[in-house]
Amino acid sequence: SISQEVQQAVAHCRKIHEERGWEYMFWDDEKIEALIQLPAMQDPKLVNHYTDVLRYIILHRFGGVYNDMDAYCIRPFDPLLKYAEDLGMDL
């Protein structure tokens, strides 16, 4: 279950970005399994590595910005895109 505090953080971040044309994507197990077939995690110590790899795969395939659910957005990500463009990154 997702705490009320985390739900509020997600809602705020979505609001300030969707107003600027950003698309919000939430990746649950079902969407991940439809995207890529990875071996089931047997060792609980490897779960963090598994989720790290999934983030990179998703970002590589779809682009965008990753944000943890419990991170509260103070400002939009838009100004950060200037630096990516300066570095020649295609977002």
Side-chain angles (χ1 to χ4, degrees), residues 22 59-66 77-91:
W22 289 71
L59 287 171
H60 177 50
R61 187 146 321 156
F62 296 95
V65 175
Y66 170 80
F77 297 132
D78 299 305
L80 299 175
L81 298 180
K82 178 192 179 320
Y83 298 107
E85 291 168 3
D86 290 346
L87 296 171
M89 300 169 88
D90 183 21
L91 300 176

Side-chain angles (χ1 to χ4, degrees), residues 7 13 15 23-26 28 41 44 68 73 77 84:
Q7 290 178 31
C13 194
K15 180 180 184 295
E23 178 184 359
Y24 172 82
M25 299 176 81
F26 177 78
D28 58 13
M41 292 303 302
D68 280 322
C73 298
F77 297 132

Side-chain angles (χ1 to χ4, degrees), residues 28-61:
D28 58 13
D29 291 343
E30 186 177 317
K31 284 178 93 172
I32 290 168
E33 289 171 9
L35 173 68
I36 187 166
Q37 299 300 315
L38 291 176
M41 292 303 302
Q42 301 297 324
D43 187 347
K45 293 181 280 187
L46 297 177
V47 169
N48 288 339
H49 300 295
Y50 181 75
T51 56
D52 289 340
V53 169
L54 288 172
R55 281 185 209 114
Y56 294 129
I57 291 170
I58 290 167
L59 287 171
H60 177 50
R61 187 146 321 156

